[in-house]
Amino acid sequence: MTDIRSTPAGSIPPVNPAPVGLDAVVPFQIDALDARGRAVLLGDALDGILARHDYPEPVARLLGEMTVLTVLLGTSLKFEGKFIVQAQTDGPVSLLVVDFVTPGTVRAYARFDEGAVDAAVAAGRARPEDLLGTGTLALTIDQGAYMNRYQGIVQLDGASLEEIARNYFRQSEQIPTELRLAVGRLSVRGDDGSMRQFWRAGGIVAQFLPDAPERMRATDLHPGEAPDGVEIDMPDDDDAWAEVKALVGTVDDDELIDEGVGVHALLFRLFHERGVRVFDAQDIREKCTCTRDKVAGVLASLSDEDVSEATRDGKITITCEFCSTVYEFAPGEAKT
């Protein structure tokens, strides 16, 4: 744990003798404001996901935002399991899926209508909320075969992912939450003079968690989704929380994706006057969970008719939508 704060004389001490780099989620806490949260700057973990599929840029940006959101939320889990965020929509991007496996692996993919995406870009309607349209965002916590799943669902109603996430916490978790997400594509000239492009994405989430329960102004509802028609009374007029929201609101997209700034420097810029503590970072890496045995298990559940329909040129070919790994089976292997 490291303390980041200004000195009495107002001079600025080093932020951290060993600041974290890319692909590491940094938990933080501001005791004076009763707030805690996490921040991240994704590099190779995200670039590997997006580059492998060669998504159109607007689709890549949208999937990048959802990957950052999933990583920020998934690293808060204190048990072994999986955190899945899935959006199903009527928009040009019909499906987004991000799987996070504790403590720190992620995979993701998007399904989209290429023609509809091209038309949206041509019409100047390629914002994330335009590509999503309406639908649902499901957040699922899976602790394994012997534990019940928990799932929260929030409507996609034309808002940004940031606003949708705020709605989720307001309706399902009843925790005042503020966040910022950003995705960018950077270009670097190599030694040979060629240009290389790569993706970066950053995010920060802060939550208001005071020790005094009356400051939360929480309802008497049991934890879980609020019933339809029930308004959740959030502490917008609490001075501490208002300050946290205002500070997080000053974060620019460029700050979130700039390696020259970094997570620790950003947190120092935002909260050093109040004193901010940062904790050990959680490394993030891209990793798919598919295996040949898992795919074979799915094939074994198919009917003879389905196996026949899936067979082409004497073999069954299955491509993982997450990592694009291709698995080939003889028809007879599908029923073993």
Side-chain angles (χ1 to χ4, degrees):
M1 181 183 72
T2 302
D3 240 347
I4 303 176
R5 62 180 72 240
S6 58
T7 64
S11 59
I12 299 177
V15 172
N16 193 315
V20 299
L22 300 172
D23 298 326
V25 175
V26 177
F28 64 89
Q29 185 166 321
I30 311 106
D31 294 322
L33 299 176
D34 290 317
R36 68 187 67 173
R38 291 169 299 282
V40 69
L41 173 56
L42 292 180
D44 291 345
L46 179 69
D47 195 52
I49 291 171
L50 299 183
R52 179 180 297 111
H53 292 278
D54 194 25
Y55 293 117
E57 185 162 324
V59 178
R61 289 181 179 274
L62 182 56
L63 186 59
E65 281 194 11
M66 198 153 119
T67 301
V68 173
L69 175 63
T70 304
V71 165
L72 286 172
L73 301 183
T75 48
S76 68
L77 301 179
K78 305 302 182 184
F79 50 79
E80 292 186 4
K82 182 183 290 187
F83 180 60
I84 307 161
V85 179
Q86 179 172 310
Q88 291 184 294
T89 87
D90 63 0
V93 179
S94 59
L95 181 67
L96 295 169
V97 182
V98 184
D99 284 358
F100 178 86
V101 179
T102 60
T105 62
V106 65
R107 64 177 189 167
Y109 80 92
R111 190 177 298 159
F112 62 97
D113 183 319
E114 186 173 0
V117 170
D118 290 343
V121 172
R125 294 182 54 82
R127 298 177 304 167
E129 47 266 48
D130 297 325
L131 296 178
L132 288 175
T134 59
T136 58
L137 182 74
L139 298 91
T140 304
I141 295 174
D142 185 352
Q143 299 183 61
Y146 303 104
M147 300 290 289
N148 291 330
R149 279 190 169 197
Y150 167 79
Q151 185 174 76
I153 298 176
V154 64
Q155 293 296 314
L156 298 173
D157 56 1
S160 67
L161 274 178
E162 288 181 4
E163 187 58 36
I164 291 165
R166 294 187 192 102
N167 290 340
Y168 168 77
F169 279 99
R170 182 166 58 247
Q171 296 172 12
S172 298
E173 302 295 330
Q174 301 168 36
I175 300 174
T177 301
E178 185 63 23
L179 71 158
R180 286 281 291 106
L181 308 170
V183 180
R185 196 172 194 179
L186 309 180
S187 298
V188 173
R189 188 177 299 278
D191 294 337
D192 60 357
S194 62
M195 297 297 294
R196 177 180 177 268
Q197 293 186 319
F198 52 91
W199 290 97
R200 294 290 181 263
I204 181 172
V205 59
Q207 296 183 309
F208 185 56
L209 296 165
D211 291 331
E214 65 270 15
R215 291 184 62 203
M216 288 288 291
R217 293 172 57 213
T219 67
D220 292 329
L221 295 174
H222 185 277
E225 291 192 12
D228 291 340
V230 173
E231 292 293 330
I232 303 300
D233 195 14
M234 303 301 277
D236 290 334
D237 58 352
D238 186 282
D239 291 341
W241 178 237
E243 182 174 342
V244 172
K245 289 177 63 178
L247 290 171
V248 173
T250 67
V251 178
D252 293 329
D253 287 0
D254 290 345
E255 286 184 288
L256 285 173
I257 64 173
D258 188 349
E259 294 177 53
V261 175
V263 171
H264 281 181
L266 175 61
L267 293 174
F268 177 76
R269 199 273 286 174
L270 290 174
F271 303 117
H272 71 277
E273 292 185 359
R274 289 294 194 169
V276 55
R277 292 187 291 162
V278 296
F279 300 87
D280 292 341
Q282 172 60 58
D283 291 336
I284 304 298
R285 62 190 177 98
E286 178 208 0
K287 181 183 178 182
C288 190
T289 58
C290 75
T291 65
R292 184 176 180 84
D293 286 344
K294 287 182 179 179
V295 176
V298 174
L299 290 177
S301 66
L302 298 181
S303 66
D304 291 339
E305 182 180 355
D306 290 335
V307 169
S308 178
E309 290 181 359
T311 302
R312 297 288 185 275
D313 298 325
K315 61 185 177 182
I316 300 172
T317 302
I318 304 293
T319 302
C320 176
E321 292 185 288
F322 286 97
C323 67
S324 300
T325 299
V326 177
Y327 297 94
E328 292 186 349
F329 298 85
E333 294 180 275
K335 305 308 291 183
T336 59

